[in-house]
Amino acid sequence: MRLKRKRGRKDKFEDLMDGIEEEDEGRNWEGGWGRAKKQRSNSSQGWDEGKRKREKGKAKKPSRGKVKRVEKVGKRKIKKEKLLKEEQEMEKDEEGEKGVGSEEQRVGKGSGSGKGVEKEEEVDEKGNEGLGEGRSSEMGQEVKEEKDEGKGDTQVEEKKKKKKKKKPEVETEEMEKKSEEEETPGKTGKRKSKEGEEKKEEEKNNKKTKKQKEEEKEAENKWKWWEEEKKEDGIKWMQLEHRGPYFVPPYEPLPKDVQFYYDGKPLKLSLATEEIATFYAKMLDHEYTTKEIFQNNFFHDWRKEMTSEEQEIIKDLDKCDFGEIHKYFVDKNEARKALPKEEKQKLKEEADKIQEEYGYCILDGHREKIGNFKTEPPGLFRGRGEHPKMGMLKKRIMPEDVVINCSKDSKIPEPPEGHKWKEVRFDNTVTWLASWTENIQNTLKYIMLNPSSKLKGEKDWQKYEVARRLKDVVHTIRAQYRKDWKSKEIKKRQRAVALYFIDKLALRAGNEKEEGETADTVGCCSLRVEHIQLHPQLDGQEHVVEFDFLGKDSIRYYNKVSVEKPVFKNLQLFMKNKDPSDDLFEHLNTTFLNKHLQDLMDGLTAKVFRTYNASITLQEQLKALTNPEDNVAGKLLSYNRANRAVAILCNHQRSIPKTFARSMQVLQEKIDAKKKQVEEAQEEVKKAEDEFKDTKEAKAEVNVEKKKKLLKRLEEQLARMNIQATDKEENKQIALGTSKLNYLDPRITVAWCKKFGIPIEKVYNKTQREKFAWAIDMAGEDFEF
């Protein structure tokens, strides 16, 4: 039996050698070793590739997968060398039998950790070391094999047993692992989900880092205009080149199966009439179309655009049925939302192409982004609040309505084919690129640069610098208006009281308006007697003035304020013998007020007081509310509270969002789920601690630390969610964005972030960071407004 087994192995080896030699005889082996080396390298390349794939995909056995991917000669050579290696291992095992260690040490080492696989890979790689070396080793092995023939078959048998034993060990471990998982499916599932969450979080952080790197790169390439010398007063630019505005595409007629009905009968409308009908149909589910003034204005303007035949038929809006048209646009909108990803991508690419062509200009040799490069589409005017002109037709803007502004040496933008510009100007004292007059209120509309551009940034910087200068003279101004409360001139008294309100309450000055042209909104100078009530005593306070009026954008201003006694007495005097509709400050207007302020400080207007008071309030509130010991979420809550104080001062209100209740419910559900996770994690920590007390093993101690870390992370997440809920609730009726973008010097925020280690992106989003790049670059943590 021993002889047969040995001869069988040897015959197999010799047959393999003969096959290779016969195949080699029919070939031209010029430069023999070089060619052999070449074949070896091909074979080796296949092995390397196999190894890489195994490492990536964790294949079970490397050898078979490798053999299939190599050339014919490479295959045979590998088989041959593998047999030789097996013989070598058998000899080594025989020697190791004499006292190297237990069978488990010789066979089982690394079976659970993957080291066995690594060893096999090493053997395979070594077997590919050049055909020359291979041949010499083969000859040596043949001689050695003959010498060892008499050593008996015990070694071979034991080797086989060991090889067989190796596989079951791995299988047993896998089975044990599997059975453990089956016994505790919940724990395994949780572990996997936690691992998945951690992986996702890590990927998210990596992504964020990548985004931050991109932003940093963009910031490096950004034009730092604030480091350049300022131009002469009044000169805004030296070079301005652009493509002009992008005009809204022509109207596309409705499909034939979508009809308008009048008095229950279908009626084919002319193209212009149909287009205006679609404006109204699109708004059927909006509150505006229920308002009588909106309906009347629409129908009046619509009839003006009708043909004489249509005017004869369509005489009553109540008999018009826009339902089918409305349904068509609703379905079209839903279909657009349901478009496959590829189609949405195509639409995005088309929009990006338009943006690339029309959305940028060249300003003083730098490429700058344009803010609103499209003309306003035609439609129905809405207005703010109860605007008297709501429902009127906003006409389509044509090139003949547009004035272009650019530099003389630039390429003047071409108007659309068959059209011409109203005018082309070369005015470098203004910042707009194109303008036109809209037909509803006859006001000028402009195409301007993006808020992140040099022209907008310079304007912001200048605005906040003027407000900072007010800080040096504000005490003098306050002393002056207090003195004027007792003036013999009623005009001075009214000016002084109005200035007190603008300073203390951050009221807008209020401009003069033509009656019936706009909504009934007022500011400080245009207050009427009906807008205030005087209370000598109210809610435990003396000299209380109750304000109730509609401010900018028809937002109600309601406030009860205790004022100084001279102010209260002056208001009583101003209201004496007046009707509710009479002006409170009949001797005052914004022009007179601002002229007085200009005399007090260069560049000072009523609006500067609003900017000054907003910024100084933020700075004071941040100092009072920020706790250096708080975590990032706690400090951000303090920032939002400081910002809210400013928003309340400036009356930046908003209606409660429709989705507020639902979003709060979702957030509360998340908080409840997180609380449950925290409780479970606390139990896990307790179990791990108990286990460590019992075993005192290092592994158990590591497990305790791991569970504690998880608990800490979950508690931090819960704290952040609770803060978010508080913040959301407190801000539901306050618009923080308006003051943050328009009234607060961004350098205050930047300095606060740098001082307390808050990432700037936690306070400003990407668009806002681009807008305030100048402030982020120049403000240090010690900046004072």
Side-chain angles (χ1 to χ4, degrees):
M1 285 296 290
R2 184 184 68 176
L3 186 61
K4 267 189 183 178
R5 193 177 293 111
K6 272 183 72 181
R7 290 302 300 166
R9 188 173 285 279
K10 191 170 179 184
D11 288 346
K12 195 175 178 184
F13 172 75
E14 284 172 357
D15 289 345
L16 188 62
M17 285 293 293
D18 291 341
I20 293 171
E21 283 166 12
E22 280 170 23
E23 198 171 340
D24 290 349
E25 277 172 18
R27 294 181 182 172
N28 179 10
W29 283 91
E30 272 183 45
W33 295 121
R35 176 66 184 263
K37 281 182 184 175
K38 189 176 178 183
Q39 284 196 349
R40 197 281 314 167
S41 66
N42 288 342
S43 172
S44 177
Q45 190 178 344
W47 278 107
D48 292 343
E49 188 183 351
K51 186 184 176 188
R52 281 196 299 274
K53 287 184 179 177
R54 279 199 313 284
E55 284 171 349
K56 192 175 178 182
K58 292 184 180 174
K60 286 180 185 176
K61 282 276 182 182
S63 57
R64 285 188 184 176
K66 290 177 187 173
V67 171
K68 287 176 184 177
R69 288 192 293 271
V70 294
E71 293 176 359
K72 217 168 186 180
V73 176
K75 286 182 187 176
R76 289 175 178 167
K77 177 178 169 297
I78 289 157
K79 283 180 183 175
K80 175 186 68 180
E81 290 179 352
K82 199 168 181 183
L83 287 169
L84 291 171
K85 291 291 173 187
E86 282 178 8
E87 295 295 333
Q88 280 180 319
E89 282 174 12
M90 283 161 59
E91 287 165 18
K92 283 176 187 173
D93 288 334
E94 188 198 1
E95 286 166 16
E97 189 90 17
K98 291 171 185 176
V100 176
S102 69
E103 192 180 13
E104 284 170 358
Q105 283 174 321
R106 291 195 306 275
V107 179
K109 251 188 186 180
S111 62
S113 63
K115 286 179 185 176
V117 176
E118 284 173 22
K119 280 187 179 181
E120 277 188 34
E121 284 175 7
E122 282 172 27
V123 169
D124 290 332
E125 281 174 20
K126 284 174 186 174
N128 276 309
E129 288 177 0
L131 197 58
E133 281 180 270
R135 287 207 168 181
S136 61
S137 66
E138 283 158 24
M139 290 171 74
Q141 286 295 329
E142 279 184 58
V143 174
K144 199 168 186 179
E145 202 174 338
E146 283 171 15
K147 280 182 184 177
D148 295 340
E149 268 180 19
K151 284 190 179 178
D153 63 341
T154 9
Q155 298 94 329
V156 181
E157 282 290 339
E158 283 184 9
K159 177 65 183 173
K160 280 195 173 183
K161 279 179 190 175
K162 288 169 191 174
K163 279 192 174 261
K164 279 179 186 175
K165 200 164 185 178
K166 193 172 183 179
K167 193 177 178 183
E169 269 192 22
V170 178
E171 283 176 4
T172 309
E173 281 190 21
E174 284 174 2
M175 290 284 282
E176 281 172 10
K177 197 175 178 184
K178 200 173 181 183
S179 65
E180 275 175 30
E181 285 178 6
E182 283 168 4
E183 280 170 26
T184 54
K187 285 184 182 178
T188 310
K190 280 176 192 174
R191 197 188 307 122
K192 282 181 181 176
S193 67
K194 280 173 188 174
E195 282 171 8
E197 279 174 25
E198 283 172 17
K199 198 175 180 183
K200 277 181 186 176
E201 202 174 320
E202 195 179 330
E203 283 171 10
K204 194 179 176 184
N205 291 337
N206 290 341
K207 261 188 184 178
K208 202 173 181 183
T209 312
K210 196 177 177 184
K211 277 186 181 179
Q212 284 173 343
K213 283 177 184 176
E214 283 172 9
E215 280 184 35
E216 282 170 16
K217 198 175 180 182
E218 280 177 26
E220 281 175 21
N221 298 330
K222 189 172 173 65
W223 176 21
K224 294 189 176 183
W225 48 262
W226 53 91
E227 292 178 355
E228 296 178 0
E229 285 184 25
K230 289 185 181 179
K231 291 184 175 65
E232 297 172 33
D233 285 346
I235 303 297
K236 306 294 182 186
W237 45 263
M238 301 306 293
Q239 180 206 8
L240 179 61
E241 187 174 310
H242 56 92
R243 284 293 309 272
Y246 176 79
F247 291 91
V248 179
Y251 171 67
E252 289 181 16
L254 293 168
K256 289 181 181 178
D257 59 334
V258 180
Q259 293 184 317
F260 165 78
Y261 293 85
Y262 185 76
D263 204 11
K265 296 172 186 175
L267 179 64
K268 180 67 181 170
L269 301 174
S270 64
L271 208 61
T273 309
E274 183 186 273
E275 183 182 13
I276 298 163
T278 63
F279 300 155
Y280 192 84
K282 286 174 186 176
M283 294 180 68
L284 277 185
D285 55 358
H286 203 286
E287 188 189 354
Y288 277 107
T289 52
T290 63
K291 296 180 179 180
E292 190 180 349
I293 190 165
F294 187 92
Q295 294 172 353
N296 292 341
N297 285 336
F298 160 71
F299 197 62
H300 177 265
D301 280 8
W302 189 31
R303 278 181 57 79
K304 282 198 284 186
E305 300 298 321
M306 290 178 188
T307 61
S308 53
E309 291 84 2
E310 287 167 339
Q311 285 175 345
E312 285 297 317
I313 300 167
I314 304 169
K315 291 183 177 179
D316 187 354
L317 183 62
D318 292 334
K319 291 181 180 181
C320 295
D321 183 359
F322 301 92
E324 212 167 280
I325 303 173
H326 173 72
K327 186 180 182 302
Y328 166 73
F329 283 107
V330 169
D331 293 345
K332 192 177 178 182
N333 193 39
E334 290 301 318
R336 192 174 68 249
K337 286 178 185 175
L339 279 174
K341 196 177 179 181
E342 296 77 21
E343 291 297 316
K344 285 181 179 176
Q345 184 60 31
K346 280 181 188 175
L347 293 174
K348 186 183 180 298
E349 283 168 8
E350 286 170 18
D352 289 345
K353 195 177 177 184
I354 293 167
Q355 167 85 40
E356 194 63 31
E357 187 175 353
Y358 291 92
Y360 293 89
C361 72
I362 301 298
L363 181 84
D364 293 343
H366 294 271
R367 191 168 183 259
E368 290 273 61
K369 199 173 183 181
I370 299 169
N372 53 329
F373 59 88
K374 295 180 179 180
T375 58
E376 289 180 4
L380 302 180
F381 180 72
R382 302 186 187 192
R384 306 273 187 170
E386 298 299 316
H387 203 288
K389 292 188 175 184
M390 66 167 69
M392 289 177 71
L393 176 65
K394 279 199 304 179
K395 293 184 177 177
R396 185 179 290 271
I397 306 300
M398 302 301 288
E400 287 75 14
D401 303 317
V402 176
V403 177
I404 294 291
N405 190 34
C406 58
S407 54
K408 284 183 182 179
D409 59 346
S410 70
K411 186 184 176 185
I412 295 167
E414 292 287 333
E417 197 174 339
H419 294 275
K420 59 179 184 179
W421 303 121
K422 180 180 179 180
E423 185 188 341
V424 177
R425 290 185 194 170
F426 311 108
D427 187 356
N428 65 355
T429 63
V430 296
T431 57
W432 52 267
L433 284 65
S435 72
W436 60 88
T437 304
E438 55 89 25
N439 66 294
I440 303 290
Q441 300 183 92
N442 292 316
T443 55
L444 280 167
K445 295 282 182 178
Y446 298 101
I447 284 182
M448 310 283 276
L449 289 182
N450 187 272
S452 63
S453 67
K454 176 197 173 184
L455 296 181
K456 289 282 188 180
E458 272 186 336
K459 195 176 177 182
D460 279 348
W461 186 14
Q462 187 181 3
K463 174 175 76 177
Y464 294 120
E465 283 303 301
V466 171
R468 285 181 85 195
R469 283 196 287 116
L470 174 58
K471 185 173 66 172
D472 300 328
V473 295
V474 71
H475 299 295
T476 309
I477 292 168
R478 285 168 180 165
Q480 181 63 53
Y481 68 59
R482 277 185 168 84
K483 187 181 175 183
D484 287 343
W485 289 340
K486 297 174 183 177
S487 174
K488 291 179 181 179
E489 292 181 52
I490 193 73
K491 194 173 184 177
K492 278 189 178 181
R493 282 194 180 201
Q494 286 189 356
R495 185 184 69 195
V497 171
L499 197 49
Y500 170 78
F501 286 153
I502 287 167
D503 182 17
K504 184 168 182 177
L505 305 177
L507 294 183
R508 289 184 175 90
N511 299 310
E512 302 81 15
K513 294 177 288 188
E514 289 182 34
E515 205 171 320
E517 287 296 305
T518 59
D520 183 23
T521 58
V522 297
C524 186
C525 295
S526 50
L527 284 169
R528 297 192 294 272
V529 172
E530 63 188 327
H531 293 138
I532 67 166
Q533 285 185 41
L534 303 179
H535 305 280
Q537 282 195 330
L538 183 70
D539 299 330
Q541 291 183 312
E542 290 186 334
H543 312 122
V544 176
V545 180
E546 186 178 354
F547 293 88
D548 193 358
F549 61 89
L550 291 180
K552 187 184 176 184
D553 296 336
S554 295
I555 292 173
R556 185 187 181 200
Y557 181 90
Y558 182 78
N559 201 2
K560 293 174 185 176
V561 188
S562 176
V563 298
E564 294 182 39
K565 192 175 180 180
V567 172
F568 193 83
K569 284 190 172 181
N570 273 309
L571 288 171
Q572 286 176 323
L573 177 66
F574 302 156
M575 294 171 75
K576 199 174 181 180
N577 301 322
K578 282 185 183 177
D579 292 328
S581 58
D582 289 341
D583 288 335
L584 181 65
F585 303 119
E586 72 275 16
H587 299 291
L588 186 65
N589 59 44
T590 49
T591 309
F592 173 66
L593 178 64
N594 283 329
K595 190 178 181 303
H596 169 66
L597 293 174
Q598 190 68 32
D599 293 338
L600 296 173
M601 188 191 98
D602 185 40
L604 183 61
T605 63
K607 193 176 181 179
V608 177
F609 272 94
R610 195 170 164 82
T611 306
Y612 165 75
N613 280 310
S615 292
I616 208 76
T617 300
L618 178 73
Q619 186 168 275
E620 288 168 356
Q621 287 291 309
L622 285 176
K623 284 178 181 177
L625 297 172
T626 307
N627 180 1
E629 302 302 317
D630 280 348
N631 59 17
V632 172
K635 286 170 186 169
L636 286 171
L637 181 63
S638 300
Y639 179 86
N640 283 342
R641 282 176 171 163
N643 193 354
R644 184 163 54 254
V646 176
I648 291 166
L649 174 71
C650 296
N651 197 44
H652 291 149
Q653 296 180 34
R654 63 171 182 173
S655 55
I656 298 172
K658 291 176 184 176
T659 57
F660 178 77
R662 176 66 190 142
S663 65
M664 281 299 285
Q665 185 187 337
V666 169
L667 183 56
Q668 191 56 51
E669 285 169 6
K670 285 181 180 178
I671 289 170
D672 294 340
K674 193 61 70 178
K675 279 180 181 175
K676 199 175 178 183
Q677 284 181 345
V678 168
E679 286 167 10
E680 286 173 1
Q682 285 169 342
E683 286 174 17
E684 290 286 323
V685 168
K686 197 179 176 186
K687 281 180 188 176
E689 284 175 339
D690 291 342
E691 189 185 340
F692 176 60
K693 280 177 187 175
D694 295 340
T695 63
K696 299 291 181 183
E697 289 179 0
K699 190 179 176 183
E701 189 178 7
V702 169
N703 191 38
V704 170
E705 290 305 312
K706 193 178 175 184
K707 298 291 182 188
K708 281 183 178 178
K709 277 181 185 177
L710 177 63
L711 175 62
K712 190 182 177 184
R713 188 165 72 247
L714 289 170
E715 284 173 340
E716 284 171 359
Q717 287 171 355
L718 179 62
R720 280 200 297 270
M721 282 181 175
N722 283 323
I723 288 169
Q724 190 184 348
T726 306
D727 204 28
K728 214 176 177 77
E729 179 62 41
E730 289 177 356
N731 293 325
K732 64 183 177 185
Q733 284 184 285
I734 304 293
L736 298 181
T738 311
S739 52
K740 189 194 278 188
L741 292 180
N742 301 305
Y743 291 99
L744 301 176
D745 189 330
R747 290 171 292 185
I748 299 168
T749 299
V750 173
W752 178 81
C753 285
K754 288 179 179 178
K755 185 176 181 180
F756 293 102
I758 306 295
I760 196 74
E761 56 269 18
K762 296 281 184 185
V763 181
Y764 290 140
N765 62 32
K766 190 183 177 187
T767 306
Q768 292 164 350
R769 291 197 297 276
E770 287 172 356
K771 175 181 167 73
F772 297 133
W774 58 272
I776 293 167
D777 186 63
M778 68 169 65
E781 63 177 63
D782 55 348
F783 173 83
E784 286 284 328
F785 179 74

